[in-house]
């Protein structure tokens, strides 16, 4: 039955007009993904009015193609300039940027785009065959389960991060403090605003990331002395083929990243924690964890596979339950309602051509996307040949435009500069930026899930251990938190000395 429906969907998706719409969407999305501060959700929201006169299937294909393009585009600036174009591209900077600085921008981009395609393809296959079953599982997730998932994400940084667990915990706490600035969603009270009206809306995540990574990196480069020669990328089609030959050795990373991404993706806000979690697991299970953060190809493969798997999986709860799995899916949900469609299980019965046309377009859109970005890899990689002395001011200007575009507010540019100094200090003191960024993104979501859970249980923490799904996830999270304490004790028990990095 599923295959018959999919064939009907492909008949809709491969019409000349819908293919043209998909190509246009991927191109626009890639440009949107490259521009820091715009993002997939903003891009889809800006272009949503263009779809009102289009047939609903063509309209959703355009919007989803913009989304796929933004997912691909987010990796480009992460690898080349250490500026994540999207929240889920932050983890890609850890190894992608060091590779680019070594003249391996081409292989890093090839690995990123190929991993993205693999993750997206995995999720699309899963959606095709398991949509009804997974929709039932998602219905069982309430606030306790959501909080347990967030706890697992943070604990994986402390337990599996591989760095100093104390520094990771400090970074997470600082991220939570910054996330709590502004209006309290539950009580409506102002928190940590100190009488400044501008602080009422809190710190926007995109502004913080642009500052921490983009401006922070520029400050470090200036301190080390401006290098007026560009980095040699040595990019040509042979580099793509050589990188493809290396990728099969990371088969386990692809599979693990795809599963983590899909699992995290069909719950709200899954792409960003999925990319971080996949990176942490890849580092933990690698034979050479010390190479991570210095330009390891696997460090690009892991987060990109998970981020794309999660990005595609976020569409599942939207079409089956009417619950958006990501901000972009939330914008698309508004589009469905405007087009006169009712999201939810009845969508499969009342509008099968629409649903299966959308699912088929996920296959065609990702094939078009990966072919397009791989064709343009030499162009993207060539950007690095521009001398740093010219490139640095341009990057600062792009960062400032991206920060200003978030709320059309000058104060965001000042926030960006402050976060740039924070990023510089963190790097000088060897504190990890990723846990800080993650806490800033998930702080509000985690806090709301915790408070809703405590309201449900009248203040009892037992709710996280009495519900089976929440209990299992919380138990794993607690284990990860305890891992830095358990590991040295376990080594002593086995009669092996701790690793030299522990001294």
């Amino acid at each position: 039955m599923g295959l018959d429906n999919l064939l009907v969907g492909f008949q809709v998706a491969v019409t000349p007009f819908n293919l043209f719409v998909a190509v246009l969407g991927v191109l626009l999305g890639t440009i949107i993904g490259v521009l820091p501060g715009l993002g997939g959700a903003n891009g889809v929201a800006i272009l949503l009015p263009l779809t009102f006169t289009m047939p609903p299937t063509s309209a959703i294909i355009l919007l989803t193609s913009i989304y796929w393009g933004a997912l691909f585009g987010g990796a480009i600036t992460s690898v080349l300039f250490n500026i994540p174009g999207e929240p889920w591209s932050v983890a890609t900077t850890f190894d992608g940027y060091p590779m680019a600085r070594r003249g391996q921008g081409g292989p890093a981009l090839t690995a990123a785009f190929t991993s993205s395609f693999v993750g997206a393809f995995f999720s699309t296959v899963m959606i095709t065959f398991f949509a009804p079953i997974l929709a039932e599982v998602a219905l069982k997730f309430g606030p306790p389960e959501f909080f347990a998932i967030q706890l697992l994400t943070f604990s994986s940084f402390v337990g599996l991060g591989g760095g100093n667990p104390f520094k990771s915990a400090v970074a997470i706490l600082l991220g939570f403090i910054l996330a709590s600035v502004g209006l309290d969603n539950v009580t409506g009270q102002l928190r940590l605003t100190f009488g400044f009206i501008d602080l009422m809306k809190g710190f926007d995540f995109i502004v913080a990331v642009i500052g921490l990574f983009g401006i922070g990196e520029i400050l470090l480069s200036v301190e080390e002395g401006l290098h007026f020669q560009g980095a040699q990328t040595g990019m040509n089609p042979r580099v793509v083929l050589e990188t493809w030959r290396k990728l099969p050795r990371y088969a386990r990373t692809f599979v693990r990243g795809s599963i983590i991404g899909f699992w995290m993706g069909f719950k709200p806000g899954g792409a960003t924690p999925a990319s971080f979690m996949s990176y942490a697991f890849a580092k933990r299970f690698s034979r050479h964890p010390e190479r991570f953060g210095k330009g390891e190809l696997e460090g690009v493969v892991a987060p990109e596979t998970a981020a794309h798997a999660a990005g595609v999986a976020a569409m599942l709860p939207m079409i089956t339950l009417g619950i958006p799995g990501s901000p972009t899916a939330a914008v698309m949900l508004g589009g469905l309602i405007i087009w006169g469609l009712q999201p939810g299980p009845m969508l499969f019965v009342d509008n099968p051509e629409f649903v299966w046309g959308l699912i088929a377009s996920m296959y065609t859109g990702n094939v078009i996307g990966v072919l397009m970005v791989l064709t343009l890899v030499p162009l993207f990689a060539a950007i690095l040949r521009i001398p740093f002395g010219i490139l640095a001011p341009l990057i600062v200007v792009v960062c400032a435009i991206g920060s200003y575009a978030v709320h059309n507010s000058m104060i965001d540019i000042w926030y960006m500069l402050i976060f740039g100094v924070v990023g510089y200090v963190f790097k000088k003191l060897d504190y990890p930026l990723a846990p800080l960024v993650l806490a800033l993104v998930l702080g509000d979501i985690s806090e709301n899930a915790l408070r809703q859970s405590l309201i449900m249980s009248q203040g009892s923490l037992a709710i996280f251990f009495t519900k089976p799904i929440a209990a299992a996830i919380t138990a794993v999270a607690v284990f990860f938190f305890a891992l830095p304490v358990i590991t040295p004790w376990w080594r002593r028990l086995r009669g092996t000395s701790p690793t030299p990095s522990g001294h």
Side-chain angles (χ1 to χ4, degrees):
M1 189 68 183
L3 287 172
D4 292 343
N5 287 330
L6 193 59
L7 287 173
V8 172
F10 272 114
Q11 287 170 2
V12 174
V14 298
T15 58
F17 180 69
N18 284 345
L19 281 176
F20 167 73
V21 161
V23 171
L24 181 66
V26 169
L27 189 61
L28 285 171
T30 306
I31 295 165
I32 286 163
V34 166
L35 295 171
L38 200 51
N42 290 341
V44 170
I46 291 163
L47 297 170
L48 184 63
L50 298 179
T51 66
F52 294 163
T53 55
M54 296 169 70
T57 310
S58 301
I60 196 77
I61 287 172
L62 175 64
L63 296 183
T64 51
S65 298
I66 291 168
Y67 186 28
W68 311 148
L71 280 161
F72 282 116
I76 296 166
T77 48
S78 297
V79 170
L80 297 186
F81 305 123
N82 202 32
I83 303 170
E86 296 284 355
W88 48 80
S89 301
V90 172
T92 309
T93 62
F94 301 158
D95 285 277
Y97 183 66
M99 284 184 72
R101 296 316 300 163
R102 286 208 310 256
Q104 294 181 313
L109 286 174
T110 304
F113 296 147
T114 309
S115 307
S116 301
F117 175 76
V118 171
F121 187 79
F122 176 86
S123 275
T124 310
V125 171
M126 294 292 279
I127 286 174
T128 307
F129 294 105
F130 299 108
I133 304 162
L134 290 164
E136 284 179 29
V137 174
L139 276 172
K140 293 177 181 168
F141 272 72
E145 287 77 15
F146 282 127
F147 179 72
I149 282 286
Q150 312 295 356
L151 194 66
L152 179 64
T153 308
F154 291 117
S155 69
S156 67
F157 260 96
V158 175
L160 303 177
N164 185 320
F166 175 74
K167 287 183 175 180
S168 297
V170 168
I172 288 170
L173 288 173
L174 185 58
F176 276 134
I177 291 167
L178 292 171
S180 65
V181 173
L183 207 62
D184 182 352
N185 291 341
V186 178
T187 64
Q189 297 287 317
L190 289 174
R191 300 189 299 195
L192 301 175
T193 56
F194 305 106
F196 291 102
I197 295 169
D198 288 314
L199 286 174
M200 281 175 64
K201 67 177 186 286
F203 301 111
D204 192 277
F205 165 75
I206 291 292
V207 176
V209 165
I210 291 171
L212 289 168
F213 288 90
I215 303 300
E217 189 62 38
I218 291 289
L219 289 174
L220 270 179
S221 301
V222 169
E223 185 196 30
E224 289 164 6
L226 288 173
H227 301 291
F228 284 92
Q229 75 281 4
Q232 291 299 310
T233 51
M235 185 63 211
N236 56 54
R238 202 171 75 239
V239 171
V240 175
L241 295 172
E242 284 173 2
T243 308
W244 277 351
R245 273 200 288 272
K246 291 177 188 171
L247 290 179
R249 70 179 74 154
Y250 304 119
R252 280 190 295 185
T253 308
F254 278 117
V255 172
R256 188 170 56 235
S258 298
I259 293 168
I260 289 171
F262 184 77
W263 171 246
M264 298 294 282
F266 80 97
K267 302 175 304 303
T272 307
S275 63
F276 282 116
M277 194 179 283
S278 179
Y279 183 87
F281 273 97
K283 186 175 180 180
R284 182 72 182 179
F285 295 114
S286 170
R287 290 176 185 173
H288 303 285
E290 72 283 353
R291 292 183 190 169
F292 278 71
K294 297 172 185 172
E296 173 69 8
L297 199 63
E298 192 176 2
V300 176
V301 169
E304 283 295 313
T305 307
H308 262 242
V312 174
M315 302 295 291
L316 173 60
M318 185 194 80
I319 54 176
T320 55
L321 301 171
I323 301 168
S326 71
T328 314
V331 177
M332 290 183 198
L333 187 70
L336 290 185
I337 294 161
I338 292 166
W339 303 324
L341 300 171
Q342 184 56 51
M346 292 306 290
L347 197 62
F348 284 81
V349 179
D350 298 335
N351 301 89
E353 294 87 3
F354 173 82
V355 173
W356 291 101
L358 168 60
I359 291 172
S361 78
M362 292 180 184
Y363 289 98
T364 57
N366 277 294
V367 170
I368 291 166
V370 77
L371 290 176
M372 192 180 288
V373 290
L374 278 172
T375 307
L376 296 174
V377 158
L379 180 67
F380 297 137
I383 295 168
L384 271 183
R385 294 180 186 165
I386 300 169
F388 183 79
I390 298 169
L391 209 52
L394 288 175
I395 293 171
V396 173
V397 169
V398 169
C399 287
I401 292 168
S403 299
Y404 183 80
V406 175
H407 295 122
N408 293 333
S409 171
M410 189 65 198
I411 192 74
D412 286 328
I413 295 180
W414 291 110
Y415 289 158
M416 174 196 79
L417 294 171
I418 293 165
F419 277 111
V421 174
V422 172
Y424 167 78
V425 171
F426 260 56
K427 286 178 179 177
K428 292 297 283 183
L429 297 177
D430 199 26
Y431 272 75
L433 279 173
L436 168 67
V437 168
L438 194 67
L440 194 56
V441 180
L442 299 179
D444 283 344
I445 302 169
S446 308
E447 185 188 4
N448 289 344
L450 174 63
R451 289 166 78 171
Q452 286 166 2
S453 305
L454 293 176
I455 289 166
M456 286 165 61
S457 66
Q458 296 181 329
S460 171
L461 288 171
I463 191 166
F464 299 112
F465 300 97
T466 52
K467 287 179 167 281
I469 298 173
I473 299 169
T474 304
V476 176
V478 170
F479 172 72
F480 282 165
F481 273 125
L483 206 57
V485 178
I486 295 170
T487 307
W489 174 80
W490 177 247
R491 284 201 182 109
R492 278 200 299 273
L493 201 68
R494 289 172 60 193
T496 58
S497 60
T499 54
S501 59
H503 292 297

